[in-house]
Amino acid sequence: MSQSDGVRRVGEIEEFKALAHPLRARLLGALREHGPATATELAHRFATDTGSTSYHLRKLEQYGFIAEAGDPGHPRARRWQAVHHVNDWSAVDMAATAEGREASAVMRRQQVDILIRDVVAYEAALSTLPSEWVDASGVGDLLARLTPASVNTLWERFYAHVDELVAQDAGDPAARPVSIVVAGLPRLGDKP
């Protein structure tokens, strides 16, 4: 994972569990993608009640994932913003406890759910997308025989290259948010 200024390393199980809560993960994702918002705006976006949304926002604030945006407006309306662009954690540390394994499983499944939602939305909009986006879009899979060290190298190079491309495309009006979900999991049951 790139260690640019926008990366937050999650180290404690309690903060990881706070992040792994499905609604909190969605709230944080919305703040990252769409910018600052109030609890009322987020409750409307996710069809939740404002009280529940406020509670989950305060939990995210408690663990340093979000902060008040400080935007002017109604004096009683608190606007929230994401503090970091990306969260990172040690898979080894999280796998060391039952709580960590459970929270990690929730996070992985949420990432798969995001991929499924993005695929469904893409397929629904396919007939209206410019041909350049149709040509560039896709989902692929492959099976490669690698060592753990090589998989770690793959992650490092992948994220570094994404950072380079984001910087390259920063001012291009053709750039838009692109959902990228990657996985590198050992195929269990296969002989080494």
Side-chain angles (χ1 to χ4, degrees):
M1 175 70 58
S2 166
Q3 293 299 311
S4 61
D5 293 340
V7 176
R8 158 81 186 280
R9 183 76 171 182
V10 178
E12 299 299 322
I13 188 65
E14 290 304 316
E15 63 185 359
F16 189 67
K17 284 171 42 181
L19 178 65
H21 185 280
L23 179 57
R24 290 181 202 144
R26 292 175 68 203
L27 293 169
L28 181 57
L31 293 172
R32 286 180 174 159
E33 184 175 352
H34 304 290
T38 65
T40 302
E41 293 165 343
L42 291 165
H44 179 71
R45 176 184 298 269
F46 295 112
T48 61
D49 65 83
T50 302
S52 174
T53 302
S54 292
Y55 169 80
H56 290 296
L57 288 167
R58 286 191 304 276
K59 280 293 184 188
L60 288 170
E61 177 191 34
Q62 176 184 346
Y63 291 102
F65 296 109
I66 66 171
E68 284 193 58
D71 290 345
H74 190 279
R76 292 180 50 106
R78 295 173 78 181
R79 294 189 70 73
W80 299 99
Q81 66 184 1
V83 174
H84 305 92
H85 182 66
V86 173
N87 293 313
D88 186 11
W89 55 85
S90 166
V92 171
D93 290 348
M94 293 305 149
T97 67
E99 286 181 309
R101 288 188 298 275
E102 182 180 339
S104 295
V106 168
M107 290 298 286
R108 280 190 296 275
R109 287 182 177 91
Q110 286 182 77
Q111 291 168 321
V112 170
D113 288 344
I114 290 168
L115 174 61
I116 291 168
R117 282 195 308 267
D118 288 343
V119 167
V120 168
Y122 170 78
E123 290 170 347
L126 192 56
S127 65
T128 63
L129 286 174
S131 61
E132 297 84 12
W133 278 108
V134 174
D135 184 49
S137 301
V139 174
D141 66 284
L142 59 100
L143 184 61
R145 191 170 179 83
L146 301 171
T147 65
S150 292
V151 174
N152 281 323
T153 298
L154 178 65
W155 288 122
E156 291 168 11
R157 290 182 183 173
F158 173 80
Y159 285 114
H161 193 60
V162 169
D163 287 346
E164 290 170 15
L165 293 173
V166 167
Q168 169 189 301
D169 293 350
D172 192 327
R176 63 189 303 170
V178 175
S179 179
I180 300 172
V181 179
V182 295
L185 306 170
R187 189 62 76 79
L188 301 177
D190 287 355
K191 295 185 180 191

PDB file of all heavy atoms in Angstrom, residues 40-74:
ATOM      1  N   THR A  40     -27.802  14.187   8.367  1.00  0.00           N
ATOM      2  CA  THR A  40     -29.092  14.170   7.674  1.00  0.00           C
ATOM      3  C   THR A  40     -28.908  13.832   6.201  1.00  0.00           C
ATOM      4  O   THR A  40     -29.653  13.009   5.646  1.00  0.00           O
ATOM      5  CB  THR A  40     -29.799  15.525   7.832  1.00  0.00           C
ATOM      6  OG1 THR A  40     -29.974  15.788   9.235  1.00  0.00           O
ATOM      7  CG2 THR A  40     -31.141  15.546   7.127  1.00  0.00           C
ATOM      8  N   GLU A  41     -27.924  14.442   5.558  1.00  0.00           N
ATOM      9  CA  GLU A  41     -27.665  14.147   4.140  1.00  0.00           C
ATOM     10  C   GLU A  41     -27.267  12.687   3.945  1.00  0.00           C
ATOM     11  O   GLU A  41     -27.735  12.026   3.010  1.00  0.00           O
ATOM     12  CB  GLU A  41     -26.566  15.075   3.603  1.00  0.00           C
ATOM     13  CG  GLU A  41     -26.973  16.523   3.525  1.00  0.00           C
ATOM     14  CD  GLU A  41     -25.808  17.490   3.349  1.00  0.00           C
ATOM     15  OE1 GLU A  41     -24.640  17.101   3.597  1.00  0.00           O
ATOM     16  OE2 GLU A  41     -26.078  18.653   2.985  1.00  0.00           O
ATOM     17  N   LEU A  42     -26.426  12.177   4.833  1.00  0.00           N
ATOM     18  CA  LEU A  42     -25.993  10.782   4.722  1.00  0.00           C
ATOM     19  C   LEU A  42     -27.131   9.817   5.044  1.00  0.00           C
ATOM     20  O   LEU A  42     -27.268   8.776   4.401  1.00  0.00           O
ATOM     21  CB  LEU A  42     -24.788  10.540   5.627  1.00  0.00           C
ATOM     22  CG  LEU A  42     -23.506  11.248   5.181  1.00  0.00           C
ATOM     23  CD1 LEU A  42     -22.479  11.268   6.299  1.00  0.00           C
ATOM     24  CD2 LEU A  42     -22.939  10.612   3.926  1.00  0.00           C
ATOM     25  N   ALA A  43     -27.965  10.164   6.018  1.00  0.00           N
ATOM     26  CA  ALA A  43     -29.117   9.318   6.348  1.00  0.00           C
ATOM     27  C   ALA A  43     -30.050   9.215   5.143  1.00  0.00           C
ATOM     28  O   ALA A  43     -30.560   8.139   4.826  1.00  0.00           O
ATOM     29  CB  ALA A  43     -29.858   9.876   7.560  1.00  0.00           C
ATOM     30  N   HIS A  44     -30.245  10.321   4.455  1.00  0.00           N
ATOM     31  CA  HIS A  44     -31.082  10.312   3.252  1.00  0.00           C
ATOM     32  C   HIS A  44     -30.454   9.431   2.166  1.00  0.00           C
ATOM     33  O   HIS A  44     -31.139   8.636   1.531  1.00  0.00           O
ATOM     34  CB  HIS A  44     -31.282  11.743   2.742  1.00  0.00           C
ATOM     35  CG  HIS A  44     -32.100  11.823   1.510  1.00  0.00           C
ATOM     36  ND1 HIS A  44     -33.450  11.578   1.494  1.00  0.00           N
ATOM     37  CD2 HIS A  44     -31.740  12.105   0.237  1.00  0.00           C
ATOM     38  CE1 HIS A  44     -33.904  11.706   0.254  1.00  0.00           C
ATOM     39  NE2 HIS A  44     -32.883  12.020  -0.523  1.00  0.00           N
ATOM     40  N   ARG A  45     -29.147   9.558   1.972  1.00  0.00           N
ATOM     41  CA  ARG A  45     -28.441   8.783   0.942  1.00  0.00           C
ATOM     42  C   ARG A  45     -28.574   7.280   1.191  1.00  0.00           C
ATOM     43  O   ARG A  45     -28.747   6.499   0.266  1.00  0.00           O
ATOM     44  CB  ARG A  45     -26.964   9.168   0.913  1.00  0.00           C
ATOM     45  CG  ARG A  45     -26.121   8.336  -0.061  1.00  0.00           C
ATOM     46  CD  ARG A  45     -24.646   8.689   0.017  1.00  0.00           C
ATOM     47  NE  ARG A  45     -24.395  10.047  -0.341  1.00  0.00           N
ATOM     48  CZ  ARG A  45     -24.123  10.473  -1.580  1.00  0.00           C
ATOM     49  NH1 ARG A  45     -24.067   9.626  -2.567  1.00  0.00           N
ATOM     50  NH2 ARG A  45     -23.896  11.748  -1.809  1.00  0.00           N
ATOM     51  N   PHE A  46     -28.483   6.864   2.462  1.00  0.00           N
ATOM     52  CA  PHE A  46     -28.467   5.437   2.785  1.00  0.00           C
ATOM     53  C   PHE A  46     -29.782   4.932   3.388  1.00  0.00           C
ATOM     54  O   PHE A  46     -29.842   3.799   3.862  1.00  0.00           O
ATOM     55  CB  PHE A  46     -27.293   5.113   3.712  1.00  0.00           C
ATOM     56  CG  PHE A  46     -25.969   5.341   3.055  1.00  0.00           C
ATOM     57  CD1 PHE A  46     -25.126   6.359   3.470  1.00  0.00           C
ATOM     58  CD2 PHE A  46     -25.568   4.549   1.986  1.00  0.00           C
ATOM     59  CE1 PHE A  46     -23.899   6.572   2.850  1.00  0.00           C
ATOM     60  CE2 PHE A  46     -24.348   4.760   1.355  1.00  0.00           C
ATOM     61  CZ  PHE A  46     -23.518   5.776   1.790  1.00  0.00           C
ATOM     62  N   ALA A  47     -30.817   5.760   3.357  1.00  0.00           N
ATOM     63  CA  ALA A  47     -32.134   5.376   3.861  1.00  0.00           C
ATOM     64  C   ALA A  47     -32.063   4.852   5.301  1.00  0.00           C
ATOM     65  O   ALA A  47     -32.596   3.801   5.632  1.00  0.00           O
ATOM     66  CB  ALA A  47     -32.796   4.350   2.934  1.00  0.00           C
ATOM     67  N   THR A  48     -31.361   5.598   6.134  1.00  0.00           N
ATOM     68  CA  THR A  48     -31.282   5.293   7.564  1.00  0.00           C
ATOM     69  C   THR A  48     -31.853   6.482   8.326  1.00  0.00           C
ATOM     70  O   THR A  48     -32.078   7.549   7.744  1.00  0.00           O
ATOM     71  CB  THR A  48     -29.824   5.051   8.004  1.00  0.00           C
ATOM     72  OG1 THR A  48     -29.061   6.243   7.762  1.00  0.00           O
ATOM     73  CG2 THR A  48     -29.201   3.887   7.264  1.00  0.00           C
ATOM     74  N   ASP A  49     -32.054   6.327   9.619  1.00  0.00           N
ATOM     75  CA  ASP A  49     -32.533   7.473  10.379  1.00  0.00           C
ATOM     76  C   ASP A  49     -31.336   8.318  10.816  1.00  0.00           C
ATOM     77  O   ASP A  49     -30.220   7.823  10.969  1.00  0.00           O
ATOM     78  CB  ASP A  49     -33.408   7.050  11.564  1.00  0.00           C
ATOM     79  CG  ASP A  49     -32.646   6.272  12.610  1.00  0.00           C
ATOM     80  OD1 ASP A  49     -31.998   6.920  13.456  1.00  0.00           O
ATOM     81  OD2 ASP A  49     -32.690   5.031  12.567  1.00  0.00           O
ATOM     82  N   THR A  50     -31.597   9.585  11.027  1.00  0.00           N
ATOM     83  CA  THR A  50     -30.531  10.543  11.353  1.00  0.00           C
ATOM     84  C   THR A  50     -29.851  10.210  12.672  1.00  0.00           C
ATOM     85  O   THR A  50     -28.638  10.337  12.796  1.00  0.00           O
ATOM     86  CB  THR A  50     -31.091  11.975  11.385  1.00  0.00           C
ATOM     87  OG1 THR A  50     -31.678  12.255  10.114  1.00  0.00           O
ATOM     88  CG2 THR A  50     -30.007  13.003  11.643  1.00  0.00           C
ATOM     89  N   GLY A  51     -30.616   9.760  13.663  1.00  0.00           N
ATOM     90  CA  GLY A  51     -30.025   9.420  14.962  1.00  0.00           C
ATOM     91  C   GLY A  51     -29.008   8.296  14.847  1.00  0.00           C
ATOM     92  O   GLY A  51     -27.907   8.383  15.398  1.00  0.00           O
ATOM     93  N   SER A  52     -29.357   7.246  14.132  1.00  0.00           N
ATOM     94  CA  SER A  52     -28.433   6.123  13.934  1.00  0.00           C
ATOM     95  C   SER A  52     -27.209   6.568  13.139  1.00  0.00           C
ATOM     96  O   SER A  52     -26.076   6.218  13.472  1.00  0.00           O
ATOM     97  CB  SER A  52     -29.155   4.989  13.198  1.00  0.00           C
ATOM     98  OG  SER A  52     -28.250   3.960  12.882  1.00  0.00           O
ATOM     99  N   THR A  53     -27.445   7.359  12.108  1.00  0.00           N
ATOM    100  CA  THR A  53     -26.336   7.847  11.289  1.00  0.00           C
ATOM    101  C   THR A  53     -25.401   8.719  12.124  1.00  0.00           C
ATOM    102  O   THR A  53     -24.181   8.583  12.040  1.00  0.00           O
ATOM    103  CB  THR A  53     -26.878   8.623  10.078  1.00  0.00           C
ATOM    104  OG1 THR A  53     -27.742   7.755   9.339  1.00  0.00           O
ATOM    105  CG2 THR A  53     -25.759   9.111   9.181  1.00  0.00           C
ATOM    106  N   SER A  54     -25.972   9.593  12.962  1.00  0.00           N
ATOM    107  CA  SER A  54     -25.146  10.441  13.838  1.00  0.00           C
ATOM    108  C   SER A  54     -24.307   9.597  14.789  1.00  0.00           C
ATOM    109  O   SER A  54     -23.129   9.888  15.014  1.00  0.00           O
ATOM    110  CB  SER A  54     -26.033  11.394  14.647  1.00  0.00           C
ATOM    111  OG  SER A  54     -26.624  12.337  13.816  1.00  0.00           O
ATOM    112  N   TYR A  55     -24.905   8.554  15.357  1.00  0.00           N
ATOM    113  CA  TYR A  55     -24.176   7.664  16.262  1.00  0.00           C
ATOM    114  C   TYR A  55     -22.967   7.054  15.551  1.00  0.00           C
ATOM    115  O   TYR A  55     -21.850   7.053  16.090  1.00  0.00           O
ATOM    116  CB  TYR A  55     -25.106   6.559  16.778  1.00  0.00           C
ATOM    117  CG  TYR A  55     -24.367   5.462  17.501  1.00  0.00           C
ATOM    118  CD1 TYR A  55     -23.964   5.633  18.819  1.00  0.00           C
ATOM    119  CD2 TYR A  55     -24.045   4.273  16.853  1.00  0.00           C
ATOM    120  CE1 TYR A  55     -23.270   4.631  19.486  1.00  0.00           C
ATOM    121  CE2 TYR A  55     -23.356   3.270  17.508  1.00  0.00           C
ATOM    122  CZ  TYR A  55     -22.964   3.450  18.821  1.00  0.00           C
ATOM    123  OH  TYR A  55     -22.259   2.460  19.465  1.00  0.00           O
ATOM    124  N   HIS A  56     -23.175   6.535  14.350  1.00  0.00           N
ATOM    125  CA  HIS A  56     -22.078   5.889  13.621  1.00  0.00           C
ATOM    126  C   HIS A  56     -21.021   6.897  13.175  1.00  0.00           C
ATOM    127  O   HIS A  56     -19.828   6.580  13.163  1.00  0.00           O
ATOM    128  CB  HIS A  56     -22.627   5.080  12.446  1.00  0.00           C
ATOM    129  CG  HIS A  56     -23.366   3.862  12.899  1.00  0.00           C
ATOM    130  ND1 HIS A  56     -22.760   2.821  13.572  1.00  0.00           N
ATOM    131  CD2 HIS A  56     -24.681   3.529  12.813  1.00  0.00           C
ATOM    132  CE1 HIS A  56     -23.654   1.894  13.867  1.00  0.00           C
ATOM    133  NE2 HIS A  56     -24.833   2.305  13.420  1.00  0.00           N
ATOM    134  N   LEU A  57     -21.434   8.107  12.863  1.00  0.00           N
ATOM    135  CA  LEU A  57     -20.461   9.150  12.528  1.00  0.00           C
ATOM    136  C   LEU A  57     -19.610   9.495  13.751  1.00  0.00           C
ATOM    137  O   LEU A  57     -18.395   9.683  13.633  1.00  0.00           O
ATOM    138  CB  LEU A  57     -21.169  10.392  11.985  1.00  0.00           C
ATOM    139  CG  LEU A  57     -21.754  10.242  10.583  1.00  0.00           C
ATOM    140  CD1 LEU A  57     -22.695  11.414  10.270  1.00  0.00           C
ATOM    141  CD2 LEU A  57     -20.658  10.141   9.532  1.00  0.00           C
ATOM    142  N   ARG A  58     -20.226   9.562  14.920  1.00  0.00           N
ATOM    143  CA  ARG A  58     -19.451   9.856  16.139  1.00  0.00           C
ATOM    144  C   ARG A  58     -18.451   8.736  16.431  1.00  0.00           C
ATOM    145  O   ARG A  58     -17.343   8.989  16.910  1.00  0.00           O
ATOM    146  CB  ARG A  58     -20.384  10.096  17.328  1.00  0.00           C
ATOM    147  CG  ARG A  58     -21.094  11.444  17.268  1.00  0.00           C
ATOM    148  CD  ARG A  58     -21.811  11.792  18.568  1.00  0.00           C
ATOM    149  NE  ARG A  58     -22.779  10.793  19.001  1.00  0.00           N
ATOM    150  CZ  ARG A  58     -24.035  10.711  18.571  1.00  0.00           C
ATOM    151  NH1 ARG A  58     -24.479  11.581  17.671  1.00  0.00           N
ATOM    152  NH2 ARG A  58     -24.849   9.774  19.039  1.00  0.00           N
ATOM    153  N   LYS A  59     -18.829   7.484  16.145  1.00  0.00           N
ATOM    154  CA  LYS A  59     -17.888   6.364  16.322  1.00  0.00           C
ATOM    155  C   LYS A  59     -16.705   6.516  15.367  1.00  0.00           C
ATOM    156  O   LYS A  59     -15.552   6.288  15.752  1.00  0.00           O
ATOM    157  CB  LYS A  59     -18.578   5.014  16.092  1.00  0.00           C
ATOM    158  CG  LYS A  59     -19.372   4.540  17.261  1.00  0.00           C
ATOM    159  CD  LYS A  59     -18.438   4.214  18.420  1.00  0.00           C
ATOM    160  CE  LYS A  59     -19.180   3.632  19.585  1.00  0.00           C
ATOM    161  NZ  LYS A  59     -18.324   3.482  20.757  1.00  0.00           N
ATOM    162  N   LEU A  60     -16.978   6.871  14.135  1.00  0.00           N
ATOM    163  CA  LEU A  60     -15.882   7.094  13.176  1.00  0.00           C
ATOM    164  C   LEU A  60     -14.989   8.248  13.631  1.00  0.00           C
ATOM    165  O   LEU A  60     -13.768   8.187  13.499  1.00  0.00           O
ATOM    166  CB  LEU A  60     -16.438   7.361  11.779  1.00  0.00           C
ATOM    167  CG  LEU A  60     -17.052   6.161  11.063  1.00  0.00           C
ATOM    168  CD1 LEU A  60     -17.787   6.610   9.798  1.00  0.00           C
ATOM    169  CD2 LEU A  60     -15.983   5.119  10.731  1.00  0.00           C
ATOM    170  N   GLU A  61     -15.606   9.288  14.198  1.00  0.00           N
ATOM    171  CA  GLU A  61     -14.830  10.413  14.724  1.00  0.00           C
ATOM    172  C   GLU A  61     -13.991   9.968  15.917  1.00  0.00           C
ATOM    173  O   GLU A  61     -12.819  10.331  16.035  1.00  0.00           O
ATOM    174  CB  GLU A  61     -15.761  11.550  15.137  1.00  0.00           C
ATOM    175  CG  GLU A  61     -15.006  12.724  15.759  1.00  0.00           C
ATOM    176  CD  GLU A  61     -15.921  13.741  16.404  1.00  0.00           C
ATOM    177  OE1 GLU A  61     -16.981  13.356  16.952  1.00  0.00           O
ATOM    178  OE2 GLU A  61     -15.560  14.931  16.386  1.00  0.00           O
ATOM    179  N   GLN A  62     -14.573   9.168  16.800  1.00  0.00           N
ATOM    180  CA  GLN A  62     -13.880   8.694  18.008  1.00  0.00           C
ATOM    181  C   GLN A  62     -12.561   8.007  17.650  1.00  0.00           C
ATOM    182  O   GLN A  62     -11.568   8.148  18.361  1.00  0.00           O
ATOM    183  CB  GLN A  62     -14.789   7.722  18.769  1.00  0.00           C
ATOM    184  CG  GLN A  62     -14.148   7.084  19.977  1.00  0.00           C
ATOM    185  CD  GLN A  62     -15.067   6.053  20.643  1.00  0.00           C
ATOM    186  OE1 GLN A  62     -16.262   5.996  20.368  1.00  0.00           O
ATOM    187  NE2 GLN A  62     -14.497   5.253  21.522  1.00  0.00           N
ATOM    188  N   TYR A  63     -12.551   7.263  16.558  1.00  0.00           N
ATOM    189  CA  TYR A  63     -11.348   6.525  16.164  1.00  0.00           C
ATOM    190  C   TYR A  63     -10.516   7.254  15.111  1.00  0.00           C
ATOM    191  O   TYR A  63      -9.580   6.691  14.563  1.00  0.00           O
ATOM    192  CB  TYR A  63     -11.731   5.117  15.706  1.00  0.00           C
ATOM    193  CG  TYR A  63     -12.212   4.272  16.864  1.00  0.00           C
ATOM    194  CD1 TYR A  63     -13.562   4.043  17.061  1.00  0.00           C
ATOM    195  CD2 TYR A  63     -11.310   3.757  17.785  1.00  0.00           C
ATOM    196  CE1 TYR A  63     -14.003   3.286  18.143  1.00  0.00           C
ATOM    197  CE2 TYR A  63     -11.737   3.009  18.867  1.00  0.00           C
ATOM    198  CZ  TYR A  63     -13.084   2.779  19.040  1.00  0.00           C
ATOM    199  OH  TYR A  63     -13.516   2.033  20.123  1.00  0.00           O
ATOM    200  N   GLY A  64     -10.852   8.513  14.831  1.00  0.00           N
ATOM    201  CA  GLY A  64     -10.011   9.337  13.971  1.00  0.00           C
ATOM    202  C   GLY A  64     -10.172   9.121  12.474  1.00  0.00           C
ATOM    203  O   GLY A  64      -9.316   9.550  11.705  1.00  0.00           O
ATOM    204  N   PHE A  65     -11.267   8.501  12.042  1.00  0.00           N
ATOM    205  CA  PHE A  65     -11.479   8.293  10.613  1.00  0.00           C
ATOM    206  C   PHE A  65     -12.119   9.505   9.945  1.00  0.00           C
ATOM    207  O   PHE A  65     -11.923   9.742   8.750  1.00  0.00           O
ATOM    208  CB  PHE A  65     -12.348   7.052  10.366  1.00  0.00           C
ATOM    209  CG  PHE A  65     -11.699   5.785  10.817  1.00  0.00           C
ATOM    210  CD1 PHE A  65     -12.151   5.107  11.928  1.00  0.00           C
ATOM    211  CD2 PHE A  65     -10.608   5.272  10.128  1.00  0.00           C
ATOM    212  CE1 PHE A  65     -11.539   3.936  12.353  1.00  0.00           C
ATOM    213  CE2 PHE A  65      -9.985   4.104  10.544  1.00  0.00           C
ATOM    214  CZ  PHE A  65     -10.457   3.437  11.658  1.00  0.00           C
ATOM    215  N   ILE A  66     -12.910  10.269  10.703  1.00  0.00           N
ATOM    216  CA  ILE A  66     -13.541  11.474  10.176  1.00  0.00           C
ATOM    217  C   ILE A  66     -13.378  12.605  11.180  1.00  0.00           C
ATOM    218  O   ILE A  66     -13.045  12.371  12.345  1.00  0.00           O
ATOM    219  CB  ILE A  66     -15.044  11.266   9.858  1.00  0.00           C
ATOM    220  CG1 ILE A  66     -15.846  11.021  11.137  1.00  0.00           C
ATOM    221  CG2 ILE A  66     -15.234  10.132   8.851  1.00  0.00           C
ATOM    222  CD1 ILE A  66     -17.362  11.033  10.927  1.00  0.00           C
ATOM    223  N   ALA A  67     -13.639  13.831  10.712  1.00  0.00           N
ATOM    224  CA  ALA A  67     -13.585  15.009  11.578  1.00  0.00           C
ATOM    225  C   ALA A  67     -14.605  16.012  11.062  1.00  0.00           C
ATOM    226  O   ALA A  67     -15.069  15.911   9.920  1.00  0.00           O
ATOM    227  CB  ALA A  67     -12.184  15.632  11.554  1.00  0.00           C
ATOM    228  N   GLU A  68     -14.934  16.976  11.905  1.00  0.00           N
ATOM    229  CA  GLU A  68     -15.835  18.032  11.445  1.00  0.00           C
ATOM    230  C   GLU A  68     -15.162  18.798  10.319  1.00  0.00           C
ATOM    231  O   GLU A  68     -13.971  19.098  10.379  1.00  0.00           O
ATOM    232  CB  GLU A  68     -16.196  18.963  12.594  1.00  0.00           C
ATOM    233  CG  GLU A  68     -17.219  18.355  13.532  1.00  0.00           C
ATOM    234  CD  GLU A  68     -17.819  19.371  14.484  1.00  0.00           C
ATOM    235  OE1 GLU A  68     -18.393  20.370  14.002  1.00  0.00           O
ATOM    236  OE2 GLU A  68     -17.691  19.149  15.693  1.00  0.00           O
ATOM    237  N   ALA A  69     -15.950  19.127   9.304  1.00  0.00           N
ATOM    238  CA  ALA A  69     -15.415  19.813   8.132  1.00  0.00           C
ATOM    239  C   ALA A  69     -15.208  21.293   8.387  1.00  0.00           C
ATOM    240  O   ALA A  69     -14.404  21.923   7.712  1.00  0.00           O
ATOM    241  CB  ALA A  69     -16.337  19.614   6.932  1.00  0.00           C
ATOM    242  N   GLY A  70     -15.948  21.844   9.335  1.00  0.00           N
ATOM    243  CA  GLY A  70     -15.792  23.261   9.626  1.00  0.00           C
ATOM    244  C   GLY A  70     -16.405  24.164   8.576  1.00  0.00           C
ATOM    245  O   GLY A  70     -16.112  25.342   8.526  1.00  0.00           O
ATOM    246  N   ASP A  71     -17.259  23.601   7.726  1.00  0.00           N
ATOM    247  CA  ASP A  71     -17.918  24.415   6.709  1.00  0.00           C
ATOM    248  C   ASP A  71     -18.919  25.349   7.371  1.00  0.00           C
ATOM    249  O   ASP A  71     -19.614  24.977   8.311  1.00  0.00           O
ATOM    250  CB  ASP A  71     -18.671  23.522   5.711  1.00  0.00           C
ATOM    251  CG  ASP A  71     -17.729  22.729   4.832  1.00  0.00           C
ATOM    252  OD1 ASP A  71     -16.541  23.071   4.790  1.00  0.00           O
ATOM    253  OD2 ASP A  71     -18.188  21.772   4.193  1.00  0.00           O
ATOM    254  N   PRO A  72     -19.007  26.574   6.852  1.00  0.00           N
ATOM    255  CA  PRO A  72     -20.032  27.467   7.387  1.00  0.00           C
ATOM    256  C   PRO A  72     -21.413  26.978   6.954  1.00  0.00           C
ATOM    257  O   PRO A  72     -21.553  26.270   5.976  1.00  0.00           O
ATOM    258  CB  PRO A  72     -19.693  28.816   6.743  1.00  0.00           C
ATOM    259  CG  PRO A  72     -18.931  28.477   5.515  1.00  0.00           C
ATOM    260  CD  PRO A  72     -18.228  27.181   5.793  1.00  0.00           C
ATOM    261  N   GLY A  73     -22.390  27.363   7.673  1.00  0.00           N
ATOM    262  CA  GLY A  73     -23.754  26.955   7.358  1.00  0.00           C
ATOM    263  C   GLY A  73     -24.596  27.096   8.594  1.00  0.00           C
ATOM    264  O   GLY A  73     -24.304  27.914   9.456  1.00  0.00           O
ATOM    265  N   HIS A  74     -25.588  26.280   8.694  1.00  0.00           N
ATOM    266  CA  HIS A  74     -26.444  26.308   9.872  1.00  0.00           C
ATOM    267  C   HIS A  74     -25.591  25.978  11.093  1.00  0.00           C
ATOM    268  O   HIS A  74     -24.844  25.001  11.080  1.00  0.00           O
ATOM    269  CB  HIS A  74     -27.580  25.298   9.714  1.00  0.00           C
ATOM    270  CG  HIS A  74     -28.620  25.445  10.769  1.00  0.00           C
ATOM    271  ND1 HIS A  74     -28.475  24.917  12.027  1.00  0.00           N
ATOM    272  CD2 HIS A  74     -29.804  26.088  10.756  1.00  0.00           C
ATOM    273  CE1 HIS A  74     -29.533  25.210  12.753  1.00  0.00           C
ATOM    274  NE2 HIS A  74     -30.363  25.919  12.005  1.00  0.00           N
TER     275      HIS A  74
END
